[in-house]
Amino acid sequence: MAAWRIEIPLGSLQLAEVDHFIVAIDSWFPSSQPRVFAPAAGSDYRWPHVESGGLLCLRPSRYGADVVDRILCHLSDAEVLLNYSPMKCREEFQREFIAYWGQRATKDAGRIEVQSLLTPSGKTREVVYYHDVRHARFVLADGVDELKRWLRNVGLSPGDKQLFPTCLVRLSEPWLPSEFPQSGTEVTRLLPPELLRRCLVPGRSVPIVFGVQTVTGPTFVSVVLKGGDPKALINGFRNAALVPLERIVNSFGRPLQRQPVTRVDGAWVHGRDHPSDFTTVKGRSVAIVGSGAIGAALAMLLAKAGVGELLLIDGDELTVANISRHPLGLDSVGLNKATTLAATLRRQLPHLAFEGFASRFERLSQQQLARLSNMDMIVAAGIDFDGETALDSWRRSLPQPPAYLSTWTEAYAVAGHAVLLYGVESILAAFDADERPTFRLTDWPDDAGILHMEAGCGNVFQPHGVVDLQPIIAMAGALALDALQDKVPESCRRAWLGDPSIVRARAGEVREAFDAAMTRREFPWP
């Protein structure tokens, strides 16, 4: 580490106390950024972008620039920063409101995380929370049903008596660090009078959330209040209901804990409040028949995109030989693919809904079929021809058939297909007498070794890897999302054309339509 002191004429900057800078570089320089300190600027949050020890938070310089020019650039930026007008300082503090709140949050060992499912809009209102003591966190939601569903998905099952009311307070503008509340008294003055007795219960830790719109989007912060000893408050009264409200409120006037808020609501998870597929697919439902390498990966993609409800159907258990191509791993071997994947997704994305049926399609009960018929889309993912035939026939018999998407790969995953059908159109109309699609892209004389047999077993498999599947899975996922967002008005099919040289190298034949490599194409149906 090397450093230089650079004198500044006292009073020449808006922050008049600063009379020198310290420019420091570490042993990695010029492959690292120089740092500029203004020790007199302090670390008391009087000035924006001043960190511990007077370190100035400045924009990075280009590594390829001249070393001297880089140092001068940082010094120039430091001068600009410390010449901010009072209005500019306020704007910068408010723009990075939650960053400064986080820097001044409670740091002691007893701090509790605050997780929010709250909608980042609306007025000051009553909301509900659960105190998860085991994981040292509060979880808040707009309503009881939403909160209980989320908690069940992460493996918790609290009763109604363990869910408590609290308040979301909407601020008109972000606080400056100097305006951050220091005591419970400052906070209770902001709560609606009608919520005081409901939210402030003696002896209970109560999270209060503040929501505010910043120039970069809506944000939440929180404080945790704790009242006095319930026995001391009730002393002299027959029961807690008779204790004067003022006495209860005053008991919450002690120093508070400031806490950042971790948002776990869908709008944040699937786009950080910016436009994304989630806006339109959060209310859609998809059933995926087949939870193998293709179906399971497709389920993961649709879940990550924010599809509100996924129903997974598969009768098979995961084997060791599956795990190199499947999202589930060794710890799930011997378990049903569909139900285990649904449980995994519930834990990973608890704001969405997942369910699994441990059955082939042909063995579903009437109740399960009724559930399936109410989905917005049914996906057949790499299932066998018998299952495809049964699913196609059943779906077309419904008064209002859901949209249907069938996806599969050709041998060695050098080509793949995704067919989207609406209404009563049948996918079997495009299959020949040998039960093969007429629009296939490859032919394999005498099967040309496209199926391999497991050692000492009659089970067969296609010898392709997980990377080979990805373009096909991505293609099918994109088509499903396009359909769910009403971007594809008519039935169609998409095809992935991979590497034709692989086909020839393995004694296969490339059809005329396989006229490009590493290309995605779309065709009308049929």
Side-chain angles (χ1 to χ4, degrees):
M1 176 74 74
W4 296 264
R5 178 184 174 113
I6 299 175
E7 300 296 332
I8 303 292
L10 190 63
S12 63
L13 299 173
Q14 186 72 27
L15 187 57
E17 299 94 321
V18 175
D19 62 354
H20 71 279
F21 290 136
I22 301 294
V23 178
I25 59 173
D26 60 24
S27 59
W28 290 100
F29 188 79
S31 296
S32 63
Q33 294 291 335
R35 288 180 289 178
V36 179
F37 295 81
S43 304
D44 56 359
Y45 303 98
R46 289 179 300 137
W47 208 267
H49 310 307
V50 180
E51 301 180 0
S52 177
L55 174 63
L56 305 184
C57 183
L58 305 172
R59 61 180 179 173
S61 55
R62 293 187 297 109
Y63 290 103
D66 179 78
V67 169
V68 174
D69 289 342
R70 291 181 66 189
I71 299 295
L72 291 174
C73 177
H74 282 255
L75 287 171
S76 175
D77 286 351
E79 182 182 13
V80 170
L81 170 60
L82 299 184
N83 271 318
Y84 280 175
S85 68
M87 179 61 72
K88 179 64 174 177
C89 286
R90 184 177 188 87
E91 290 174 355
E92 290 300 298
F93 274 130
Q94 291 184 329
R95 183 172 65 86
E96 299 193 12
F97 169 51
I98 60 172
Y100 290 106
W101 184 274
Q103 291 173 22
R104 301 197 64 186
T106 302
K107 299 296 192 295
D108 63 42
R111 64 177 295 182
I112 301 177
E113 184 179 7
V114 178
Q115 295 182 338
S116 167
L117 290 160
L118 299 170
T119 303
S121 61
K123 300 179 180 179
T124 294
R125 62 187 185 272
E126 180 179 318
V127 295
V128 62
Y129 75 94
Y130 171 67
H131 186 183
D132 182 1
V133 177
R134 179 181 176 186
H135 297 98
R137 64 180 174 180
F138 292 107
V139 185
L140 296 96
D142 290 304
V144 169
D145 290 343
E146 179 188 18
L147 181 55
K148 291 175 73 172
R149 181 171 60 251
W150 192 93
L151 293 170
R152 283 196 301 269
N153 283 347
V154 298
L156 300 171
S157 299
D160 288 343
K161 292 184 178 181
Q162 295 173 282
L163 307 181
F164 306 111
T166 187
C167 188
L168 165 62
V169 179
R170 298 293 303 182
L171 303 177
S172 59
E173 63 176 357
W175 285 315
L176 304 183
S178 59
E179 298 169 339
F180 290 174
Q182 305 293 322
S183 69
T185 299
E186 295 175 65
V187 173
T188 56
R189 290 171 181 165
L190 301 174
L191 303 184
E194 65 273 15
L195 294 184
L196 288 174
R197 188 175 286 274
R198 285 180 51 75
C199 297
L200 303 181
V201 177
R204 183 183 298 166
S205 294
V206 182
I208 305 295
V209 175
F210 300 94
V212 66
Q213 182 71 30
T214 71
V215 295
T216 56
T219 60
F220 291 124
V221 297
S222 71
V223 298
V224 178
L225 307 181
K226 189 169 183 178
D229 180 15
K231 292 183 180 179
L233 283 171
I234 297 174
N235 187 29
F237 297 90
R238 292 184 179 180
N239 57 59
L242 298 176
V243 177
L245 177 60
E246 182 180 5
R247 184 170 181 173
I248 294 175
V249 172
N250 288 340
S251 75
F252 282 85
R254 60 183 64 187
L256 48 76
Q257 292 185 359
R258 279 189 296 269
Q259 302 292 125
V261 172
T262 300
R263 287 184 57 184
V264 292
D265 60 288
W268 183 257
V269 171
H270 299 284
R272 308 187 198 190
D273 284 329
H274 288 271
S276 68
D277 293 341
F278 177 71
T279 306
T280 49
V281 303
K282 64 181 180 181
R284 308 307 295 271
S285 59
V286 176
I288 301 178
V289 182
S291 295
I294 297 176
L298 188 55
M300 296 290 286
L301 284 181
L302 296 181
K304 297 287 188 181
V307 172
E309 182 180 358
L310 287 179
L311 171 61
L312 311 179
I313 301 169
D314 199 301
D316 292 340
E317 295 178 350
L318 190 75
T319 69
V320 172
N322 296 147
I323 63 176
S324 69
R325 300 194 302 198
H326 202 281
L328 298 175
L330 188 63
D331 58 343
S332 298
V333 167
L335 303 177
N336 177 264
K337 294 177 181 178
T339 57
T340 305
L341 182 59
T344 299
L345 288 169
R346 278 196 294 271
R347 291 190 298 271
Q348 293 181 355
L349 298 163
H351 59 286
L352 303 176
F354 304 95
E355 187 176 2
F357 290 165
S359 171
R360 284 181 61 90
F361 168 77
E362 299 94 311
R363 300 193 184 105
L364 293 177
S365 67
Q366 289 301 311
Q367 183 178 8
Q368 290 171 326
L369 287 173
R371 176 97 165 77
L372 186 60
S373 67
N374 289 321
M375 307 300 284
D376 292 312
M377 175 182 288
I378 299 173
V379 177
I383 64 177
D384 59 30
F385 190 75
D386 289 346
E388 187 93 57
T389 301
L391 180 54
D392 181 78
S393 176
W394 169 81
R395 172 188 159 275
R396 291 189 299 111
S397 71
L398 298 174
Q400 293 182 311
Y404 183 61
L405 190 150
S406 181
T407 184
W408 66 95
T409 73
E410 296 194 25
Y412 298 102
V414 294
H417 305 273
V419 175
L420 174 67
L421 302 177
Y422 295 115
V424 296
E425 291 193 272
S426 171
I427 192 171
L428 301 182
F431 279 67
D432 61 24
D434 293 324
E435 301 178 353
R436 297 180 299 177
T438 57
F439 48 80
R440 62 187 181 276
L441 296 169
T442 62
D443 286 309
W444 301 86
D446 300 322
D447 291 335
I450 62 174
L451 293 178
H452 288 205
M453 187 171 291
E454 291 183 9
C457 176
N459 190 37
V460 296
F461 66 97
Q462 286 197 22
H464 53 253
V466 65
V467 174
D468 303 316
L469 292 173
Q470 297 314 300
I472 301 164
I473 293 167
M475 175 184 68
L479 182 55
L481 290 174
D482 285 347
L484 292 171
Q485 297 176 86
D486 301 321
K487 295 179 180 178
V488 186
E490 298 180 349
S491 299
C492 69
R493 66 179 176 90
R494 292 180 184 175
W496 167 253
L497 287 64
D499 185 353
S501 68
I502 295 176
V503 182
R504 300 186 184 98
R506 288 172 168 77
E509 297 178 0
V510 176
R511 289 193 153 202
E512 183 179 354
F514 201 159
D515 58 359
M518 306 303 172
T519 301
R520 183 188 297 180
R521 294 240 174 102
E522 181 167 327
F523 305 90
W525 181 263

